[in-house]
Amino acid sequence: MAEFEGGANQSKEKQHQLSSSVGAGDAQPAAGPQVTDERAASGGGARLQHGVSVDSTPDHFKRTRFFVLRPGTLNQAIKDVEALVDQELDGSILGLWLMAEVDHWNNEKERLVIITDNSLLVFKYDFVMFSCDQMQRIPLNFVDRISHGTFSFPKYSLLQRAGEGVRIFWDRQREPSFVSTWNPFATDLPFITFTYHPVRNVSATLSALCDIQTFREQLKDAAQKVHSMKPVPGKANGVLVLNQQIPIEAYVGLMSFLGNQNKLGYCMARGNLGF
């Protein structure tokens, strides 16, 4: 019994020494689970050094594919389109917006829009090549109606569009012709329609730059002022503002469905290619 007790005591001492050495050697790795628990408790994504968080949500990656969000791109685009403003014809710049145009076949197209003293200027800008591909000038004293609200489609249309928009009319006496209505490439329609740009929720600055409500109010005020100063003979002065649905007379729209789903009307990175 004495020998058994002595052996047991020696065995306990060895186990105690082994436990002490293992605890000392694993002191640093043991902190691993604690760090994991802290990250899980924080509810955030992975974090890089210096406290920079990484947003791994699908919406984040979709938004960062827009070339307009690349550093310095939007600033350069604004400089380029502002340089195209004719001071004698258009006057001073009152405001600039980044929006999406919705044509009569429900196709979305990325646009920069400027309101000046005398004109509404709509630019098709290439954010990849840093060039303005097209400019449309609409005299403000021709603008006679502004409607805003949700979009609507014909009863048997297969298309849908969520959100709100604003439509500007500048020739109340002229209705779109049958040929223009059914031509997806027609550019002679007496109205233009805008909605929110997809990047408007990225930052407060972009939210203000894409705000169609502020755009609508400033456009109405600018047009009213020009109507009083430069009335057009044979046209009623003033701007009528209507809160109503914006109709889009499109039924099937396979081209617009595919184009809008893939954002073909925007300058975006698409794999190894950018359009």
Side-chain angles (χ1 to χ4, degrees):
M1 290 293 295
E3 292 179 356
F4 177 78
E5 292 177 355
N9 292 333
Q10 292 178 358
S11 177
K12 290 181 179 179
E13 291 177 358
K14 289 181 179 180
Q15 289 179 0
H16 178 71
Q17 293 175 357
L18 181 60
S19 299
S20 299
S21 62
V22 171
D26 290 348
Q28 294 180 350
Q34 295 179 1
V35 175
T36 303
D37 293 341
E38 289 176 359
R39 290 177 180 174
S42 64
R47 291 186 176 275
L48 299 177
Q49 294 181 356
H50 307 296
V52 179
S53 61
V54 177
D55 188 349
S56 58
T57 61
D59 289 341
H60 169 77
F61 289 111
K62 288 180 181 179
R63 290 195 300 264
T64 54
R65 289 165 54 193
F66 288 91
F67 276 97
V68 70
L69 297 180
R70 303 296 170 91
T73 299
L74 183 56
N75 290 335
Q76 182 61 47
I78 291 174
K79 291 180 181 178
D80 291 343
V81 297
E82 286 181 343
L84 298 176
V85 176
D86 189 332
Q87 293 290 332
E88 295 183 1
L89 181 61
D90 302 314
S92 301
I93 296 174
L94 302 178
L96 183 145
W97 284 265
L98 173 67
M99 293 187 291
E101 178 186 348
V102 182
D103 69 9
H104 61 299
W105 274 49
N106 196 41
N107 297 292
E108 288 183 18
K109 304 170 184 179
E110 191 171 34
R111 294 291 184 262
L112 284 171
V113 183
I114 290 180
I115 296 177
T116 67
D117 290 330
N118 304 317
S119 308
L120 173 66
L121 304 175
V122 183
F123 300 91
K124 177 185 178 183
Y125 189 84
D126 188 340
F127 291 99
V128 180
M129 301 302 296
F130 294 99
S131 63
C132 182
D133 296 335
Q134 180 182 333
M135 183 182 73
Q136 181 179 9
R137 175 179 283 109
I138 304 166
L140 291 183
N141 56 346
F142 278 78
V143 174
D144 49 38
R145 184 161 38 119
I146 301 174
S147 63
H148 61 97
T150 58
F151 294 95
S152 66
F153 292 85
K155 183 177 180 181
Y156 298 103
S157 176
L158 301 178
L159 298 174
Q160 292 183 350
R161 171 176 289 279
E164 299 180 352
V166 57
R167 176 170 289 177
I168 301 104
F169 299 83
W170 55 81
D171 195 347
R172 188 180 303 173
Q173 299 176 354
R174 179 169 66 92
E175 294 294 331
S177 66
F178 177 83
V179 175
S180 297
T181 301
W182 289 99
N183 179 8
F185 306 105
T187 58
D188 61 342
L189 300 173
F191 61 82
I192 191 169
T193 308
F194 297 110
T195 189
Y196 291 106
H197 194 288
V199 303
R200 69 186 181 103
N201 293 324
V202 172
S203 67
T205 301
L206 285 171
S207 180
L209 199 65
C210 302
D211 189 354
I212 62 174
Q213 295 182 2
T214 305
F215 163 76
R216 182 188 77 233
E217 294 172 358
Q218 189 171 70
L219 177 64
K220 180 199 69 174
D221 294 340
Q224 292 279 25
K225 183 177 180 180
V226 177
H227 271 284
S228 61
M229 297 177 60
K230 300 178 181 179
V232 178
K235 289 179 63 70
N237 293 325
V239 180
L240 182 63
V241 179
L242 302 173
N243 184 0
Q244 61 184 15
Q245 288 187 322
I246 300 176
I248 298 180
E249 299 294 333
Y251 289 84
V252 180
L254 180 61
M255 291 176 55
S256 67
F257 175 78
L258 295 176
N260 295 340
Q261 287 293 321
N262 295 281
K263 295 291 187 290
L264 297 183
Y266 299 85
C267 293
M268 295 183 65
R270 311 178 193 277
N272 293 327
L273 300 175
F275 298 100

